[in-house]
Amino acid sequence: MPKPMPSKKESSKLDAGGDDAFAEAEATKDGTWTRLEDAHRKRRKGDCTSATRDYQTVLASKPDPVARAQALAGIGLCLESEGDFSGASDRFDQARESYVGADTWLDGERA
């Protein structure tokens, strides 16, 4: 009897180098999104200094395009709140280059 095909999750584990590599990749991904959500919360409370530091950490981790776009747009929102409209515009443009849906997320954050 032929061996069944591995599930998507099992296949991902194999491609990543086994259970340990898969777990490490997932932890990094989860850690990136956790830090990104923390940064958003800080920014919404007005703590742009701490939020920007977290956004920069997310960007340094070379995140997926959506996380990258949110981090860049988050920095842009902080710059905008500080009156740096040119810097904010640059970050918003970078966010759009990273992910086409950046404006939708940005509109939601401004609402």
Side-chain angles (χ1 to χ4, degrees):
M1 182 174 217
K3 200 172 183 181
M5 292 291 291
S7 69
K8 244 184 185 178
K9 188 172 183 178
E10 290 168 335
S11 179
S12 294
K13 287 181 188 178
L14 294 172
D15 292 342
D19 289 338
D20 292 339
F22 181 75
E24 185 178 320
E26 286 299 307
T28 301
K29 179 180 170 186
D30 290 345
T32 296
W33 281 96
T34 298
R35 184 172 299 267
L36 189 58
E37 288 301 319
D38 287 345
H40 294 330
R41 275 190 288 281
K42 290 173 184 177
R43 176 184 45 78
R44 289 177 193 127
K45 289 181 179 179
D47 184 3
C48 276
T49 300
S50 184
T52 298
R53 197 170 26 250
D54 285 349
Y55 288 134
Q56 293 292 355
T57 300
V58 168
L59 291 172
S61 74
K62 308 227 185 294
D64 65 74
V66 176
R68 177 177 164 72
Q70 285 190 19
L72 288 164
I75 292 170
L77 288 168
C78 282
L79 292 171
E80 187 176 73
S81 74
E82 295 165 357
D84 182 354
F85 300 108
S86 176
S89 179
D90 289 345
R91 293 314 179 290
F92 298 149
D93 288 344
Q94 291 171 350
R96 289 181 196 101
E97 289 172 13
S98 180
Y99 179 66
V100 70
D103 280 324
T104 302
W105 180 84
L106 193 54
D107 289 346
E109 289 298 298
R110 285 180 167 151

